[in-house]
Amino acid sequence: NIFDAYTSRFIMKGPDGYLYASVWDYPANEGLYRSTDNGTTWNLLTSVASGNNIFSCAFVEGGTNTIFAGTGQGVLRSLDNGTTWAYTNVGLPAGAWVRSLAVSPDGLTIAAGTTLGLYVSADNGDNWDKVTGDGENEIISSVVFYEESNNSDNPVFALLAGSESGKLFLT
């Protein structure tokens, strides 16, 4: 055991090669932690109040230093590799828990699977647009981008979103 905590929501490897984990260090607040030494030690990047929860994390690759964290109060974004954080919720409905985040391979689109539908941003998270149509109350639990074409000169990306009701959306 390398970290005693109440719960850990995810652990993932970032594009920088470091490990990232969402941990509720009960009774302390939940936080997003980073390990630069393969999990031996963990440093807190940002915390949210207990009950807010950090459910997901995504990175814009290519040296932009942009990290997104999906919380119970929307999307947190860091533009400086985790040093400072701010919510970026324009277009997201109040009360939408962001369960899953994904960044397209070209870094131009960010997807947020929420408890109130699927939202995308084409401006680095500054604004969010709903894309699930009638699925306003659809709980989107997972999102992933994949390259649909093999044309390296003009790649086409598709977005898949899975809901808690068993639906799978494709755009």
Side-chain angles (χ1 to χ4, degrees):
N1 186 18
I2 57 174
F3 199 111
D4 282 320
Y6 178 72
T7 189
S8 180
R9 302 206 183 271
F10 67 82
I11 186 166
M12 63 189 297
K13 184 178 179 181
D16 55 8
Y18 299 141
L19 297 174
Y20 291 80
S22 170
V23 178
W24 183 5
D25 194 15
Y26 185 81
N29 295 338
E30 185 163 339
L32 179 63
Y33 290 81
R34 176 172 49 209
S35 174
T36 59
D37 57 7
N38 296 315
T40 302
T41 59
W42 293 88
N43 298 307
L44 180 66
L45 291 181
T46 190
S47 66
V48 295
S50 294
N52 183 7
N53 309 118
I54 297 175
F55 295 104
S56 54
C57 185
F59 305 86
V60 177
E61 296 191 34
T64 68
N65 294 318
T66 303
I67 306 170
F68 294 95
T71 77
Q73 294 179 354
V75 176
L76 275 170
R77 177 180 63 188
S78 173
L79 299 172
D80 54 12
N81 203 31
T83 302
T84 59
W85 294 83
Y87 278 98
T88 176
N89 291 333
V90 175
L92 290 176
W97 291 16
V98 180
R99 295 280 180 89
S100 184
L101 288 166
V103 177
S104 63
D106 61 4
L108 300 177
T109 305
I110 299 97
T114 80
T115 53
L116 296 173
L118 176 63
Y119 292 80
V120 296
S121 173
D123 59 7
N124 203 36
D126 289 338
N127 298 281
W128 297 90
D129 295 309
K130 186 174 174 206
V131 295
T132 47
D134 291 346
E136 182 171 324
N137 296 318
E138 203 62 51
I139 298 172
I140 305 297
S141 55
S142 61
V143 293
V144 64
F145 282 96
Y146 73 97
E147 190 168 343
E148 197 172 57
S149 72
N150 292 328
N151 183 347
S152 60
D153 293 330
N154 190 21
V156 175
F157 302 107
L159 171 62
L160 285 168
S163 75
E164 284 191 6
S165 66
K167 294 179 182 173
L168 186 61
F169 297 96
L170 170 69
T171 183

